[in-house]
Amino acid sequence: MLENILKSYYDLKKHKSDDLEYFDSYFTDLEEKKYLFVYSIFNSFKELEENWEDYQNEDIALYLQNELYKGMDLRWDIYYLLFYKSQSEINQSKIYDIERNKYICRKLVIPMGNEKELINNLNLKLPISKNFYNLSQSTKSFSEKDFYEKLIKKMGIKNSKLSKNEIFNPLENKDEIRKLAFEESDTL
């Protein structure tokens, strides 16, 4: 299923190589000029934690970067997609640490799911997606309206007294906002 998603949904080209020890294939953009993707599917998050560095060091660093794509710009745009199946104990700080680690390649930790969930998760993280890091799609983020309601509450101003322009351009309208905040503090 995952290979079909990468090939058909993202127009990636599959490559096989007998020189890869941990991966049986890798994917590139159709022109092989911009992106290279390698993935592993782990049965649990614990298995992911224990093995991802060895897989990366052996196949990505030693073979893909230092042999196959040596001296090419493509070697700087390698993405290692780390999929895990189990929904048991997942350490969010570990996910953050793995994804923040840009040594050798970029790592993206993604939970396995059905086809729709996989496409949605890939759309949020892959640089070849039109929804690349669209945080409004994330369940942990909040809408623009929620953000401005929280902002206005923090500022101590009733929403009804601010125009839409003042809400959406607070720096340009800081004098008017200060005036409203001052007036409301006097009425309390």
Side-chain angles (χ1 to χ4, degrees):
M1 171 176 62
L2 186 56
E3 280 192 16
N4 288 337
I5 290 171
L6 293 173
K7 288 191 301 188
S8 61
Y9 196 82
Y10 296 102
D11 291 326
L12 296 178
K13 182 178 178 181
K14 181 179 177 179
H15 304 271
K16 286 201 148 288
S17 175
D18 293 334
D19 293 323
L20 292 168
E21 185 170 327
Y22 295 106
F23 310 113
D24 66 338
S25 59
Y26 62 94
F27 296 82
T28 64
D29 58 291
L30 294 176
E31 295 81 29
E32 295 184 58
K33 292 185 178 185
K34 183 62 181 158
Y35 297 108
L36 189 145
F37 298 94
V38 177
Y39 73 87
S40 293
I41 300 174
F42 298 96
N43 290 318
S44 67
F45 190 75
K46 182 175 173 38
E47 182 185 349
L48 181 152
E49 285 182 286
E50 292 171 355
N51 296 298
W52 73 268
E53 285 183 282
D54 291 336
Y55 295 9
Q56 167 194 263
N57 295 343
E58 183 70 30
D59 282 351
I60 297 172
L62 294 177
Y63 178 65
L64 293 172
Q65 282 183 335
N66 291 320
E67 287 184 37
L68 193 60
Y69 290 100
K70 186 176 183 172
M72 296 178 68
D73 286 338
L74 183 62
R75 67 188 175 117
W76 298 114
D77 288 308
I78 297 175
Y79 289 80
Y80 183 15
L81 310 176
L82 300 141
F83 294 95
Y84 60 94
K85 290 182 181 178
S86 174
Q87 294 298 329
S88 61
E89 295 294 317
I90 296 164
N91 186 331
Q92 289 296 330
S93 66
K94 289 277 189 185
I95 290 175
Y96 176 74
D97 290 341
I98 292 169
E99 288 188 337
R100 195 178 69 187
N101 177 331
K102 303 291 192 261
Y103 182 67
I104 297 174
C105 64
R106 297 174 185 172
K107 275 78 71 187
L108 303 173
V109 179
I110 303 168
M112 283 297 288
N114 63 38
E115 185 173 342
K116 184 179 178 181
E117 292 168 336
L118 273 174
I119 291 170
N120 186 46
N121 288 331
L122 289 168
N123 280 343
L124 293 174
K125 293 193 172 192
L126 290 183
I128 56 176
S129 165
K130 64 181 177 184
N131 291 325
F132 176 49
Y133 283 109
N134 181 354
L135 296 179
S136 67
Q137 298 295 317
S138 172
T139 57
K140 292 182 181 177
S141 66
F142 48 91
S143 70
E144 190 174 282
K145 180 183 175 201
D146 292 336
F147 170 77
Y148 283 106
E149 285 176 5
K150 289 177 189 243
L151 174 67
I152 289 166
K153 187 177 180 181
K154 279 270 193 210
M155 293 166 60
I157 300 171
K158 290 186 175 95
N159 188 6
S160 61
K161 289 190 174 186
L162 291 173
S163 71
K164 200 169 203 165
N165 182 48
E166 291 164 339
I167 293 171
F168 288 98
N169 299 298
L171 294 177
E172 292 175 16
N173 298 290
K174 63 183 175 190
D175 293 334
E176 184 61 29
I177 292 170
R178 281 187 187 142
K179 180 180 165 192
L180 285 171
F182 182 74
E183 288 172 4
E184 286 189 12
S185 67
D186 283 347
T187 61
L188 295 177

